[in-house]
Amino acid sequence: MDSIEASALLDKTALQILASSVGTILGEQSKIHQFVKLAAERPSSINMDRARRTFDALPVYQRKRVAETAEGTAHKQKSSSSMAAILNRLSNEQPKPRAKPSEKPPLPEAKAPAKKLAREVAWK
């Protein structure tokens, strides 16, 4: 993946996080949510400009709330993707050899009975 594709993927992910945060704070029926979601799904200069203008028209306190929500979502997503990468690396390591289900593990060796004394044998 070259740097342009990686940048486009990052922008799309960021816009999706922003769209979900706007939907959480302002409602999914708001025009701002619809414009940001459209820009995330179909990034064109017109859609991006419309989303930017409508988002910038929000009052500062709402933009801050959306930013806090988006930041929390981004941290959660990064943590989960980091955890997925760690688990993926762990699963790619060579597993320890395991016994086949049909094979039973060896039983512990039974102790040989202690030798009996002549007196014990005679009494039986």
Side-chain angles (χ1 to χ4, degrees), residues 38-108:
L38 183 64
E41 292 172 355
R42 291 184 235 134
S44 68
S45 60
I46 294 171
N47 291 340
M48 298 291 280
D49 186 50
R50 188 182 315 160
R52 184 180 300 112
R53 281 186 290 124
T54 55
F55 184 79
D56 289 345
L58 283 174
V60 174
Y61 74 93
Q62 285 183 330
R63 281 185 283 170
K64 284 185 178 181
R65 286 181 57 203
V66 169
E68 291 169 355
T69 304
E71 189 173 331
T73 303
H75 283 293
K76 287 178 188 176
Q77 190 171 20
K78 182 179 179 187
S79 296
S80 67
S81 67
S82 298
M83 184 59 70
I86 290 169
L87 293 175
N88 189 24
R89 272 188 256 133
L90 288 175
S91 68
N92 288 338
E93 291 180 2
Q94 294 296 329
K96 295 179 182 178
R98 295 184 178 177
K100 294 180 183 176
S102 60
E103 295 178 5
K104 293 183 180 177
L107 296 173

